[in-house]
Amino acid sequence: RIMQCNKTAQSDQLYQLVLDLGPEEGSRQAAANLGHAFPMTSDLLGRFVVVCCNVERAVLGGVQSEAMVLVAEKKARTALLTVRHANEAMLGARLLPWSASESGNPHTALMNAAPLSPLDRKGLQSRLKELRVRDDGVVIWKQNKPLAAVVRDPDDPRPLGTSSDPAMKPSTAWVVVSAEASLDVGFWNNARVR
């Protein structure tokens, strides 16, 4: 979630953001070129966004950037990527490709997922090329698997862990990632993610 947003001294288009990534990740600073799509910094405050946290840190326009806010772009238009029906419990949720034909248990999928490895900017751009926006606004990976957040039930006190005991697994659910709600969702079909 975007907690602070300020224009930078070097450009009206480049914003310095402070992002709340939940209790485990804390907050991070990011530089984002969003001024063309959101001329008023106040329009971004409080928005839940999709962030890449395992990208190498960089200085962009004089701003130390520790994460990258992901957006959909098409024909000079920009849409933030967000998790549908986002709320506080989703802060810091890990995103994974999801397929209804695979194991439906999001906790198992999360535990079996490869650990996050640091990405340089070139590596991140290479992976982002595999993401597109479907005609219904859902972000997909490799043309068929929706990108989804694994979200735990905030009322379930059991931590995410590696236990195979079903009684030890917290209640979790899949929630898909989409280009931010818009009246012209069809426009975003096949938009690229950056």
Side-chain angles (χ1 to χ4, degrees):
R1 173 176 49 191
I2 299 174
M3 300 302 294
Q4 294 177 22
C5 179
N6 298 299
K7 292 183 179 181
T8 62
Q10 293 189 2
S11 170
D12 285 343
Q13 304 301 308
L14 186 66
Y15 291 163
Q16 178 178 357
L17 309 173
V18 175
L19 306 167
D20 177 3
L21 302 177
E24 291 181 27
E25 291 289 330
S27 64
R28 293 208 189 171
Q29 182 171 280
N33 188 16
L34 296 172
H36 62 287
F38 300 93
M40 303 291 296
T41 57
S42 59
D43 290 341
L44 290 167
L45 294 177
R47 290 190 186 229
F48 288 85
V49 293
V50 174
V51 177
C52 179
C53 293
N54 60 319
V55 66
E56 69 182 6
R57 296 172 186 219
V59 177
L60 305 170
V63 176
Q64 177 72 28
S65 190
E66 304 166 320
M68 184 173 175
V69 175
L70 300 183
V71 298
E73 280 190 334
K74 186 174 181 182
K75 296 184 181 178
R77 289 176 58 188
T78 301
L80 294 169
L81 296 189
T82 188
V83 176
R84 290 191 174 170
H85 313 294
N87 61 52
E88 301 256 340
M90 296 179 186
L91 293 174
R94 181 145 178 214
L95 302 179
L96 299 169
W98 175 69
S99 172
S101 64
E102 294 175 356
S103 169
N105 185 328
H107 183 269
T108 302
L110 182 62
M111 293 303 103
N112 291 336
L116 293 176
S117 57
L119 293 172
D120 60 20
R121 297 278 167 170
K122 187 176 180 180
L124 175 63
Q125 293 304 323
S126 171
R127 284 172 178 76
L128 290 178
K129 288 179 183 177
E130 297 177 331
L131 297 175
R132 287 285 184 265
V133 179
R134 248 181 6 203
D135 61 357
D136 60 356
V138 172
V139 177
I140 56 172
W141 179 68
K142 291 192 175 181
Q143 302 298 318
N144 64 356
K145 292 186 178 183
L147 197 59
V150 177
V151 180
R152 64 182 297 253
D153 180 344
D155 296 326
D156 191 331
R158 296 171 292 183
L160 290 174
T162 58
S163 174
S164 60
D165 180 358
M168 298 303 294
K169 294 179 183 177
S171 300
T172 53
W174 291 105
V175 183
V176 298
V177 173
S178 63
E180 195 169 52
S182 168
L183 295 177
D184 57 346
V185 170
F187 170 82
W188 295 105
N189 186 37
N190 208 30
R192 70 184 186 105
V193 174
R194 72 156 183 93

